[in-house]
Amino acid sequence: MFSPLGLVGRSVHTLEGIDNAAINEAVIKRRGIKLDESLGNTFYEDSFYPDTEACNHLIQKVDAVIALEVNRYFVTQNKWAHILAPGESTMYHSHGNPKLPTGISWVYYTQVPKDSGNIVWTFDMCTKRVMQELEPKPGMLVLFPDFVPHFTKRNGSSKDRVSISGNAYPAQEDYDKVGRDPQNLFNYIGIFAE
């Protein structure tokens, strides 16, 4: 019987009917409201996500994709905006929290000038370094395990790149249900339950 020693996955989706211009306008107005003002903390790069009709519609669409493609019990628990100015890059980091079960991280791109920074996932598997790179496009949604380290290459354009990110987890009362009905969760995180 075949059994993988390691497996993590990601998926790429295109979302239709999202008002990227309205999201960008709301996000850019709040670009100075950071999740954390401490230099060196990856939250310093991130801004609070606005509570507008267009922004809330995006979260509903993302959660619908996660429910269909990953697991019906997962919903976005936290979200933020990320504005990558010309010349900036995003630090190497992961979203995983050892105090929480494994979740699904996601990023949606609303404004992507040419050469404004690819996302790169990188980690060690046994003695091999894995590096996978993806060129973002407006309207692209990417789902991946919250524990996989990643970074964004330097924005080589003359304009801001705007993305929205978040993490999805099951509600506390649904943890047991996920293990009994994993759907496609195994394809992403490589395990059914912790």
Side-chain angles (χ1 to χ4, degrees):
M1 179 173 116
F2 174 80
S3 177
L5 295 173
L7 172 69
V8 294
R10 69 165 192 218
S11 62
V12 178
H13 311 268
T14 301
L15 296 186
E16 304 290 338
I18 303 297
D19 190 345
N20 288 339
I23 294 171
N24 290 336
E25 181 181 351
V27 164
I28 289 169
K29 279 183 185 175
R30 297 169 55 99
R31 77 184 302 152
I33 307 173
K34 301 295 185 183
L35 295 184
D36 191 312
E37 295 291 338
S38 307
L39 288 174
N41 186 321
T42 57
F43 290 143
Y44 180 80
E45 301 172 343
D46 302 322
S47 302
F48 281 96
Y49 189 61
D51 183 15
T52 67
E53 184 178 338
C55 291
N56 292 333
H57 179 64
L58 169 62
I59 302 305
Q60 291 170 356
K61 294 281 267 194
V62 168
D63 281 345
V65 171
I66 291 170
L68 182 65
E69 298 291 331
V70 181
N71 189 277
R72 74 183 104 259
Y73 299 110
F74 279 64
V75 293
T76 297
Q77 302 289 338
N78 55 4
K79 57 206 172 284
W80 58 93
H82 186 73
I83 301 169
L84 195 65
E88 291 183 342
S89 59
T90 304
M91 291 187 279
Y92 175 84
H93 68 285
S94 72
H95 302 179
N97 181 338
K99 296 178 182 174
L100 294 174
T102 298
I104 295 296
S105 291
W106 59 265
V107 57
Y108 175 79
Y109 297 93
T110 59
Q111 180 172 295
V112 187
K114 185 171 173 37
D115 299 322
S116 60
N118 292 352
I119 184 170
V120 180
W121 294 270
T122 182
F123 56 93
D124 292 328
M125 175 76 67
C126 301
T127 61
K128 302 286 185 188
R129 170 59 52 115
V130 177
M131 288 189 85
Q132 288 196 5
E133 185 170 333
L134 181 66
E135 180 180 0
K137 297 182 180 0
M140 178 186 282
L141 171 67
V142 184
L143 309 177
F144 57 97
D146 68 348
F147 59 80
V148 176
H150 54 284
F151 65 93
T152 300
K153 289 186 164 184
R154 186 177 68 84
N155 181 350
S157 79
S158 61
K159 297 180 180 173
D160 289 340
R161 192 197 76 188
V162 181
S163 61
I164 311 304
S165 296
N167 296 308
Y169 303 96
Q172 184 77 34
E173 63 272 11
D174 290 333
Y175 285 151
D176 289 342
K177 295 176 189 171
V178 172
R180 291 192 301 271
D181 183 16
Q183 287 175 257
N184 297 319
L185 185 60
F186 182 75
N187 296 337
Y188 289 87
I189 67 172
I191 52 177
F192 287 117
E194 299 182 319

